[in-house]
Amino acid sequence: MNRRRFLLVAAGAAAGAWWLRPQSLGQGGHDSYFEKLSLALKREGLARPTMILDLDRLDQNIETTRRRIRPREFRVVAKSLPSAPLLEYVMARGATRRLMLFHQPFLNAVAKAHSDTELLLGKPMPAAAASRFYEHLETSAFDPTRQLQWLIDSPERLRQYREVAEARETQLTINVEIDVGLRRGGMREPVDLARLLAVIDADPVFRFGGLMGYDAHAALPETLSLRSREFEKVEARYRAFLEVCRRDRPAHQDETSLVLNAAGSPTYQMWNEIDGLANELAVGSGLVKPLNFDLDTLADHVPALFIASPVLKKLDGLEIPAVDVGPLHSLWDPNRARTFFVYGGYWKAAPVSPAGLLSHPIYGRSTNQEMLNGSLEVDLDVDDVVFFRPTQSEFVMLQFGEIAVVRSGRIVDFWKPLPQVA
Ligand SMILES: Cc1ncc(COP(=O)(O)O)c(C=O)c1O
């Protein structure tokens, strides 16, 4: 290639690359919703990372869930809404007293704070955790035999729970985990359930409470009918397990007295298509809709949970220590034209407002001062607020000491998360 041709090709490649470079994602400042939230924080003097729960949006999600869950009962997944006042609020508006629990300290806190509830474990707790629950139970208003169903996934765990029951001279209500395709343990085949039921029914320390079959794996895209086909399998497996109960326990035909639990936020609306089988559905995260729940099965739910964090520093350009390439990076990607450092960070969350903020894959994350980049179109200054959406609620809601509760754009209360010890 001669020199002239080489220069032409190089110029062409440069023009092509320039044309391919990323576009600015910035679109100015906050929209009116986030502007109002940021004023609410300023009014309250809250210049630190703050977890925000929007009650108007939560109401909307509770109403949607109630409508969609009918005629089944609504079981609230406590781990995904881990705050006593929040659970009380959801149960009151959701017209239910059923909760699903996954953590022994939460179990103790809930039995104390909401002693009229009916609790179902969502995972099989170690027998020692079950014992500890009884040791730390602080109220006599809650009757575990009547109000609590332990989840059992194997004959061995059932044997351990027998010891717990004997040591405490009490009767335990047992719900059995069935595998409807998630492959996360529990009874794999109907015959396994038949054997376990025989042991439960023969032993007076146990009372059979029902079945729990979680089906999150079926929340697939509907491409090539993947979702419907997987869900048909879920239905068939659930039915086969339930047939075992009907066949082997004819004296206990009253299915309405059993807790036949299914679903979670990603799948509960899929149960609209099915008559019978499960008589209650579990929903938690969908009520606040974190980012991981932006699914088409939850299209009629709205995000209600945000993290707000003040901007501490605003710098021009982007400098990465040791591997700095000067202004080249920002020239190539307009979204790296400015650098912001916010108060805290590295949550399981992504920035959502103002639009167009990105973390940097090489600079790294920080729980102390997180770096974000944005284009010149991002309207953001020191002391302004960046809003993030958590990717999930269960752990993130525990990280802020309290939750700022917003109604009509104003902070109306602060709710404490559930305690982590008991
Ligand atoms: C057994 C069980 N049921 C239901 C759920 C659904 O919870 P969520 O509605 O918060 O997704 C979960 C989530 O992990 C679960 O493990």
Side-chain angles (χ1 to χ4, degrees):
M1 196 184 295
N2 65 27
R3 194 178 136 81
R4 190 155 168 250
R5 207 145 153 215
F6 173 77
L7 286 175
L8 271 175
V9 171
W18 187 253
W19 188 71
L20 282 176
R21 79 195 180 115
Q23 297 296 301
S24 163
L25 300 168
Q27 295 165 15
H30 296 306
D31 63 13
S32 60
Y33 177 77
F34 286 113
E35 192 51 48
K36 218 167 166 189
L37 281 186
S38 105
L39 284 176
L41 290 162
K42 289 209 169 116
R43 212 178 290 126
E44 202 67 35
L46 280 178
R48 55 168 157 81
T50 306
M51 168 116 291
I52 294 177
L53 172 68
D54 183 327
L55 282 191
D56 301 306
R57 290 178 171 213
L58 176 66
D59 287 352
Q60 202 179 320
N61 291 331
I62 297 172
E63 188 43 43
T64 305
T65 307
R66 276 189 72 175
R67 190 163 31 82
R68 294 288 210 146
I69 244 174
R70 256 177 235 145
R72 295 188 171 88
E73 297 290 329
F74 173 16
R75 185 169 296 272
V76 182
V77 180
K79 76 173 168 59
S80 311
L81 306 163
S83 156
L86 171 56
L87 289 174
E88 196 49 58
Y89 185 90
V90 171
M91 285 191 287
R93 281 195 94 95
T96 179
R97 299 309 287 169
R98 299 181 186 213
L99 295 175
M100 180 178 268
L101 274 297
F102 294 77
H103 191 33
Q104 176 258 314
F106 290 2
L107 191 57
N108 282 89
V110 162
K112 188 177 171 198
H114 320 278
S115 58
D116 62 336
T117 46
E118 287 176 36
L119 310 184
L120 168 65
L121 269 295
K123 66 182 173 222
M125 304 299 283
S131 287
R132 193 174 171 89
F133 163 76
Y134 289 101
E135 272 156 35
H136 289 252
L137 184 60
E138 284 182 46
T139 172
S140 56
F142 183 85
D143 171 9
T145 301
R146 208 171 37 81
Q147 293 174 259
L148 169 62
Q149 303 207 358
W150 295 103
L151 192 71
I152 292 294
D153 61 324
S154 69
E156 174 57 14
R157 199 178 306 272
L158 186 67
R159 200 190 51 69
Q160 293 172 351
Y161 272 60
R162 180 165 213 299
E163 285 169 19
V164 175
E166 279 198 322
R168 309 214 68 86
E169 294 179 358
T170 190
Q171 192 187 36
L172 305 184
T173 303
I174 302 297
N175 194 290
V176 181
E177 180 172 20
I178 52 173
D179 183 357
V180 292
L182 184 61
R183 303 305 182 228
R184 193 175 73 170
M187 301 297 108
R188 180 77 178 224
E189 299 296 336
V191 62
D192 304 327
L193 176 64
R195 283 195 206 107
L196 200 78
L197 272 181
V199 179
I200 294 171
D201 282 337
D203 197 328
V205 302
F206 296 133
R207 199 170 73 86
F208 178 56
L211 305 173
M212 192 286 287
Y214 184 40
D215 53 11
H217 66 286
L220 295 163
E222 194 40 7
T223 329
L224 302 172
S225 308
L226 277 179
R227 186 197 303 155
S228 346
R229 279 193 289 165
E230 192 55 47
F231 196 62
E232 271 168 30
K233 288 188 206 155
V234 167
E235 185 185 347
R237 289 186 189 120
Y238 208 115
R239 193 176 301 285
F241 284 114
L242 191 56
E243 285 306 323
V244 170
C245 300
R246 290 174 178 158
R247 187 196 66 208
D248 292 6
R249 315 178 72 249
H252 314 264
Q253 274 302 350
D254 183 13
E255 253 172 57
T256 53
S257 67
L258 293 179
V259 165
L260 301 173
N261 178 271
S265 299
T267 51
Y268 86 96
Q269 297 198 10
M270 290 154 62
W271 283 82
N272 286 342
E273 312 294 316
I274 297 175
D275 267 345
L277 288 187
N279 54 19
E280 62 158 48
L281 303 178
V283 179
S285 309
L287 300 176
V288 289
K289 198 174 181 179
L291 264 175
N292 288 352
F293 294 78
D294 280 358
L295 307 165
D296 60 348
T297 52
L298 285 173
D300 51 4
H301 285 236
V302 289
L305 198 61
F306 304 97
I307 298 166
S309 169
V311 175
L312 302 177
K313 301 163 187 168
K314 175 180 180 178
L315 311 172
D316 283 330
L318 162 65
E319 285 181 280
I320 300 187
V323 290
D324 190 43
V325 290
L328 269 184
H329 201 149
S330 323
L331 273 175
W332 164 253
D333 183 352
N335 298 299
R336 305 289 176 192
R338 281 208 175 113
T339 298
F340 304 94
F341 287 90
V342 296
Y343 190 157
Y346 211 174
W347 303 286
K348 286 178 179 292
V352 288
S353 186
L357 291 170
L358 307 169
S359 55
H360 196 283
I362 296 176
Y363 190 88
R365 313 287 308 268
S366 166
T367 52
N368 170 35
Q369 302 179 53
E370 177 105 289
M371 186 183 83
L372 295 172
N373 295 132
S375 74
L376 299 177
E377 278 77 49
V378 175
D379 186 3
L380 189 66
D381 280 311
V382 169
D383 291 340
D384 286 347
V385 178
V386 173
F387 291 93
F388 297 74
R389 258 180 86 195
T391 54
Q392 51 114 295
S393 57
E394 60 188 76
F395 182 62
V396 188
M397 285 183 90
L398 302 173
Q399 292 185 290
F400 296 81
E402 61 188 4
I403 301 156
V405 178
V406 169
R407 167 82 75 200
S408 309
R410 297 184 85 95
I411 297 174
V412 291
D413 210 345
F414 291 94
W415 288 349
K416 289 254 175 296
L418 287 170
Q420 293 272 50
V421 286

